[in-house]
Amino acid sequence: MHFTVPPVSLLDRVRVVLCQPSHPGNIGAAARAMKTMGLSRLALVQPMRFPDAEADALASGATDILGAVTLHENLDDALAGCIFAIGLSARSRELVGEILSAREAAVEAMRQAGQGEVALVFGTEMSGLTNDELARCQSLAMIPANPAYSSLNLAAAVQVMCYEIRMAAGENRVPCAPAFPLASQDAIELLYRHAARTLVALDFLNPQRPKRLLPRLRRLFARTRLEHEEVNILRGILASVDAVIAREKAKEKGGNC
Amino acid sequence: MHFTVPPVSLLDRVRVVLCQPSHPGNIGAAARAMKTMGLSRLALVQPMRFPDAEADALASGATDILGAVTLHENLDDALAGCIFAIGLSARSRELVGEILSAREAAVEAMRQAGQGEVALVFGTEMSGLTNDELARCQSLAMIPANPAYSSLNLAAAVQVMCYEIRMAAGENRVPCAPAFPLASQDAIELLYRHAARTLVALDFLNPQRPKRLLPRLRRLFARTRLEHEEVNILRGILASVDAVIAREKAKEKGGNC
């Protein structure tokens, strides 16, 4: 017999491991960064101070993640149960087997997350992961950065990496812009004819020497994909101009008061 | 006459505009985020406090960017000379013409930067960009985020957006892992033959019923792309095992002491 199992989000299979973070503010900011990207599992290896009021303050609305933090004596303990660990580093190391960009690493992590739990491992603020810690990771990931200044803040690195994880998990959608009904071709042609009449009446367009005025206006509006309501607004403006011209003509005829 | 003009990096064409930032720490952290991604031009519209020691502290090694900040009375002034402005927002707006993901926005910004200066515009920490500010941007960009908690810290949003700009500018390389010479096919075949002999001598492999042991070992090593030095190490280990077996056999022959 088979039962339908509710799908596990791949994001729930990702734990973020911070090794010996010095500043509790960074722990809080990392929790906030994780939560914005839909990650929730934070593991700390020997944090200098935790829990701490500064961590809570920087976590903002992500204190639930701090409340669920797991504390570990060493990295092996923090990685227990994981089938894949990616170590983040700002520099290459001699014996590392594979270096991936943050984007490649996120794609690989999501591929592995189909089979089990994966970890993103970050080192201490000052010097990053030790060689010993990195030796416990299958891959080293680097965030492409300015070679002259590649020092991302710890929480900023967590933010970028969790962002790439979310993108790699396919959670890359943003809302569509509010859609208004588009104008029909015939409504747009009527607008151009109306505009041509008004521009002639304004003496701005000379029908004998039209130059490229109308094609330029067509080009401008073609790029915008005019909406129905916008055509109405533009024709309303043209109608007001028509009315001014008509009033002026009527005054001319009415005499020289 | 034509002179060769030194190429302008597209990254130099990007300015980051922060509208009314409340916390000087965020200004400093944003400067640091920019510098890690190779961006340098920061414009501030009516910052609450600037310059400020907290901004300097959070900028870490990026105080040169703070030193070159431009201050502006309003957004129009900060955008002067730009041909394209992207407004970052965590939510959609009624009259926005186009919403892009951060990645799409970065690609578009780099396309436009071929023609002139472009701006990334960020609103105040609490409420983001006003509708009036957003109306000055051609596109709205959103960072895909957890719908239940989409509140990125200001500097974190700057970090992600500048990271995507760097990636879109093609500056997405990370170093290769240190390369050691790979083993030749024949050296690897000699390793397998050696391993088979040793495993038989160990009584771990039965030549009459080999099962799948050797194909599994081939599969394991095929995935790793063995290096020359690694083949030497593995053969060295096999040779030590051979030596132990030989010593044991010699003792058996030598008697029952």
Side-chain angles (χ1 to χ4, degrees), chain A residues 174-178 223 227, chain B residues 84-87 89 91-101 104-105 108 111-112 134 137-142:
Chain A
V174 293
C176 290
R223 286 207 307 279
E227 292 164 2
Chain B
F84 186 61
I86 294 172
S89 175
R91 58 183 206 280
S92 178
R93 311 293 179 102
E94 204 200 350
L95 280 181
V96 68
E98 177 182 56
I99 301 181
L100 302 174
S101 71
E104 294 163 339
E108 180 62 16
R111 210 170 65 84
Q112 301 285 349
L134 210 49
C137 302
Q138 283 76 25
S139 299
L140 180 155
M142 294 179 76

Side-chain angles (χ1 to χ4, degrees), chain A residues 5-34:
Chain A
V5 179
V8 175
S9 163
L10 290 185
L11 298 179
D12 293 334
R13 294 256 181 94
V14 184
R15 69 183 79 167
V16 170
V17 181
L18 304 185
C19 295
Q20 305 184 43
S22 317
H23 302 297
N26 284 334
I27 299 172
R32 177 174 177 177
M34 289 171 60

Side-chain angles (χ1 to χ4, degrees), chain A residues 32 35-37 59 61 93-94 99 103 142 144-146 149 151-153 156 159-160 163-164 166 174-175 178, chain B residues 32 35-37 59 61 93-94 99 103 142 144-147 149 151-153 156 159 163-164 166 174-175 178:
Chain A
R32 177 174 177 177
K35 187 166 180 178
T36 63
M37 295 298 132
R93 310 294 179 99
E94 205 200 351
I99 301 181
R103 189 163 295 171
M142 293 179 77
N146 178 358
Y149 184 75
S151 148
L152 272 76
N153 162 270
Q159 182 75 67
V160 170
Y163 163 74
E164 282 288 13
R166 186 175 185 83
V174 293
Chain B
R32 176 174 178 177
K35 187 165 180 179
T36 63
M37 296 297 133
R93 311 293 179 102
E94 204 200 350
I99 301 181
R103 187 162 297 170
M142 294 179 76
N146 178 359
Y149 184 75
S151 149
L152 273 77
N153 163 268
Q159 181 75 66
Y163 162 74
E164 282 288 11
R166 185 173 186 85
V174 294

